């Protein structure tokens, strides 16, 4: 679990409720000073099997000016007895990093003048080490890395620059980017380089350093300089660096303000930046090597307004008492640092105000503090402001300063947390002429007194999103010092909303979007979001996790196989600590609607009395059958209705048998589905005709009369004249009644009578009865027969008598079959 500090989200959200959003001007984000930053720490050296067991120190960091989610950090890595450089790339705003070693290519050597008596004075490639890493981004996303390439102190040291266009996966050859060529004979040793890229002037690359060797200025005076070189255009047109230009000498007895004057003095630790106008600024310290702690020293700044062709005379910005000396440890943390004043400079891109942070002993030799001076023009500087807020005599060293969007941050090491403990701290303040600092510890766990050297640098850089990224070396795990980083978010994620659409029928897809905003209304990317469905139904998927995208949104879609109401729990981990804090959860009711159904009767509607009849129906949902639902069939109406029920099959069809016992004539069948938890009820009613078969046989009518609407004679001594048959004239002896088949029959086949004419008909005729339709009637002997391609239901008229002299008539009510 990552540690969250300063404000719980609950307090943060409460404080933001009364906070008005501030309009954005140009590229600046204006942030309210009372909103405390949210801090997250990250071990860039990895964990588990992905951890590198080397000694990472002297960290540097840069943020892509066009994409604040792209970071590059670097560190010295003690591997196999020599230093190499490790790069740490992030594409998610410093939350995770991938590592790659920065190669020292075979073509790089530390040269020496030909000397047959000393053939081994040159340093071969396999003995070259890297120190003092710096990284910077160009405007096109190219990463620039600079290093001091050296053997040991008795040999020379070069300054080299390498580039990467793929976030550190591949690097250019150092031998193609030699800035300054170290030499053994004569001795030429570059040290403490600093690099920046000029985004204003087409990605010029600028470097400063202080040579260890004694050089001569234009007047022949010996001194220890701050030198500068440049490459116009950067990687776009190849790396071609100019000859070094001396920004500052420090000849013997240069400063006579102290009594007695100090000899063996030097310039040390330059730091170069380019401000928003394209002006170059270099800050450094002037130290006196012969004295130990408390020796008088000063911070100087020089500027160039012509891309480094010329520098104005240096301006002294602060006096200080040097922390340590060349051979003196820093009090309280012996062996951990080789610290001096270590000044760093930053320029506010909105106002142009300059800030210089540095370490100094507070008038003695046992209380190193970090101080800051500021200037609106680089000429007049404020009095020193103490940055660290401890009340004792603990040690604070190796500051790094950055400023953006109204915030000023200084990163540094401190021993204030506990005895024999070295932690990384940051102090932040509103960027102004008189900043008032708040100090917090970045190290999530205390770092015991280091057993090894932690290096010469910390670093901090701002992204365009207002997030500061600090890096340092941490030895909490023992001898294996790791490179750490921390996100310092001055407008942390503070609020979220969850949008959803209208209620949907179950089985469809419902979508939800969590939108996360920062403390000042900006969208927040990479914030973890989790969706969990609590349901009595069948949700799929029931849970999902993600992170917000560039628009600050994370979406979730799911479906449910049943109707009902779910609880959708949305957890937005605003502080990214993996703990569900107050104000980080929202619960939504998600309603899944029942599906509408349609019940369709599919069985017979002509129902014969006393005959077992199979009634069928289908239940559908948008045309598809619904399985496993009970359908109720009701024949007739109360009183006297009959019912049966059945369960639908896979096609939504159900059927049940019932012996019809209903009054003859028009009736009805109702089929109903009562509904359940998933489906709406539905029903249908269809009209029926209940009929009875004639006792003893079936009456017959002619096919040419059966399709009409008029009165039809089905029994008469004149039957052959009253009925018209497409197959010819019927025998005159046939009166209209056939005793074969008797009772229920079907279409097709033959009917017949015996006895030479119609056999005796029934005494009565049902009010609604089935009658045969014939298209051919013939007589053979005493038998009359005919076809029955069709059967109709006849509504009989009153007046029927069994005697053929009393005609039986009726009207076709329905076609039974044909």
């Amino acid at each position: 679990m990552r540690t969250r500090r300063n404000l719980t989200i609950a307090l943060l959200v409460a404080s933001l409720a009364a906070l008005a959003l501030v309009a954005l001007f140009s590229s600046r984000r204006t942030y309210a000073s009372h909103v405390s930053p949210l801090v997250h720490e990250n071990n860039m050296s990895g964990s588990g099997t992905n951890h590198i067991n080397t000694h990472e120190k002297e960290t540097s960091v840069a943020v892509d000016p066009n994409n604040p989610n792209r970071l590059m950090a670097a560190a010295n890595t003690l591997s196999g007895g020599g230093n190499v450089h490790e790069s740490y790339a992030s594409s998610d705003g410093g939350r995770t990093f991938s590592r790659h070693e920065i190669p020292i290519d075979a073509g790089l050597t530390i040269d020496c003048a030909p000397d047959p008596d000393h053939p081994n004075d040159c340093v071969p490639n396999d003995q070259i080490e890297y120190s003092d890493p710096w990284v910077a981004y160009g405007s096109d996303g190219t990463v620039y890395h600079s290093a001091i390439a050296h053997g040991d102190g008795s040999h020379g040291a070069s300054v080299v620059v390498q580039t990467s266009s793929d976030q550190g996966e591949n690097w250019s050859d150092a031998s193609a980017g030699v800035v300054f060529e170290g030499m053994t004979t004569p001795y030429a040793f570059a040290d403490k380089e600093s690099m920046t890229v000029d985004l204003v002037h087409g990605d010029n690359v600028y470097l400063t350093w202080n040579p260890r060797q004694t050089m001569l200025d234009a007047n022949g005076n010996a001194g220890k300089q701050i030198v500068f070189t440049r490459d116009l255009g950067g990687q776009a047109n190849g790396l071609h660096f100019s000859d070094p230009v001396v920004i500052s000498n420090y000849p013997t007895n240069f400063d006579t303000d102290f009594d007695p004057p100090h000899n063996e003095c030097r310039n040390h630790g330059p730091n170069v930046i380019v401000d928003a106008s394209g002006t170059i600024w270099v800050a450094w310290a002037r130290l006196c090597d012969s004295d130990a702690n408390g020796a008088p020293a000063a911070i100087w700044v020089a500027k160039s307004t012509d891309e480094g062709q010329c520098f104005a005379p240096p301006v002294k910005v602060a006096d200080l008492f040097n922390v340590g000396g060349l051979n003196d440890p820093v009090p309280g943390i012996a062996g951990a640092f080789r610290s001096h004043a270590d000044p760093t400079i930053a320029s506010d891109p909105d106002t142009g105000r300059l800030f210089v942070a540095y370490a100094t002993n507070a008038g003695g030799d046992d209380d190193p503090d970090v101080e800051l001076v500021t200037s609106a023009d680089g000429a007049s500087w404020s009095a020193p402001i103490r940055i660290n807020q401890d009340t004792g005599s603990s040690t604070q060293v190796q500051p790094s300063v950055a400023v953006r969007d109204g915030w000023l941050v200084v990163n540094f090491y401190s021993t204030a947390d506990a005895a024999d403990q070295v932690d990384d701290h940051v102090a932040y303040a509103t960027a102004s002429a008189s900043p008032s600092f708040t100090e917090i510890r970045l190290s999530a766990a205390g770092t015991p007194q280091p057993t090894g050297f932690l290096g010469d640098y910390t670093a901090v850089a701002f992204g365009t999103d207002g997030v500061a990224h600090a890096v340092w070396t941490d030895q909490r795990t023992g001898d294996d010092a790791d490179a750490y980083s921390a996100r310092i978010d001055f407008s942390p994620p503070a609020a979220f909303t969850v949008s959803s659409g209208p209620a949907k029928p179950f089985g469809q897809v419902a979508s939800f979007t969590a939108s996360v905003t920062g403390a000042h209304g900006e969208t927040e990317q990479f914030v973890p979001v989790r969706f969990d469905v609590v349901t009595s139904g069948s949700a799929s998927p029931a849970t999902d996790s993600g992170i917000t995208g560039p628009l600050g949104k994370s979406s979730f879609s799911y479906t449910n196989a049943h109707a009902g109401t779910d609880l959708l729990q949305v957890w937005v981990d605003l502080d990214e600590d993996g703990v569900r804090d107050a104000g980080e959860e929202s619960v939504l009711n998600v309603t899944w609607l029942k599906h509408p159904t349609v019940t369709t009767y599919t069985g017979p509607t002509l129902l014969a009395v006393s005959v077992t009849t199979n009634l069928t129906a289908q239940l559908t949902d948008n045309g598809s059958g619904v399985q496993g639902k009970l359908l109720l069939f009701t024949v007739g109406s109360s009183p006297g209705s009959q019912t049966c029920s059945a369960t639908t099959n896979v096609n939504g069809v159900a059927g049940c048998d019932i012996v019809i016992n209903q009054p003859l004539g028009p009736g009805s069948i109702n089929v109903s589905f009562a509904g359940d938890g998933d489906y709406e009820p539905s029903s249908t009613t269809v009209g029926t005709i209940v009929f009875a078969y004639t006792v003893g046989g079936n009456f017959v009518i002619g096919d040419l009369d059966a399709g009409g609407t008029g009165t039809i004679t089905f029994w008469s001594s004149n039957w052959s004249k009253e009925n018209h048959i497409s197959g010819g004239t019927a025998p005159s002896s046939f009166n209209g009644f056939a005793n074969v088949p008797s009772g229920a029959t079907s279409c097709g086949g033959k009917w017949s009578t015996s006895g030479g004419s119609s056999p005796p008909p029934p005494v009565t005729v049902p009010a609604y009865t089935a009658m045969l339709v014939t298209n051919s009637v013939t007589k053979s002997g005493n038998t009359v027969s005919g076809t029955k391609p069709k059967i109709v239901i006849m509504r009989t008229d009153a007046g029927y008598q069994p005697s053929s002299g009393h005609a039986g008539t009726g009207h076709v009510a329905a076609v039974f079959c044909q």
Side-chain angles (χ1 to χ4, degrees), residues 108-150:
L108 185 64
T109 61
I110 305 299
D111 295 330
C112 61
D115 186 348
D117 296 328
H118 301 87
N120 296 321
D121 279 349
C122 300
V123 180
N125 172 266
D126 61 2
Q127 295 181 20
I128 292 178
E129 300 181 17
Y130 271 173
S131 295
D132 300 2
W134 284 83
V135 286
Y137 274 95
S139 60
D140 62 353
T142 297
V143 181
Y144 292 81
H145 158 261
S146 68
I148 300 296
H150 60 89

Side-chain angles (χ1 to χ4, degrees), residues 144-209:
Y144 292 81
H145 158 261
S146 68
I148 300 296
H150 60 89
D152 57 36
S154 64
H155 294 82
S158 300
V159 181
V160 298
V161 170
Q162 294 164 268
T163 62
S164 174
S165 60
D166 55 12
Q167 278 287 86
E169 291 190 30
N170 296 279
W171 292 90
S172 64
D173 289 342
S175 57
V178 176
V179 178
F180 173 80
E181 188 173 5
M183 300 287 289
T184 303
T185 307
Y187 185 57
F189 194 105
D191 197 13
K192 294 291 180 288
E193 105 286 358
S194 170
M195 177 188 63
T196 192
V197 176
D198 186 349
L199 305 179
V200 178
H201 297 111
D203 286 357
N204 294 346
V205 182
Y206 303 138
L207 286 103
T208 61
W209 68 92

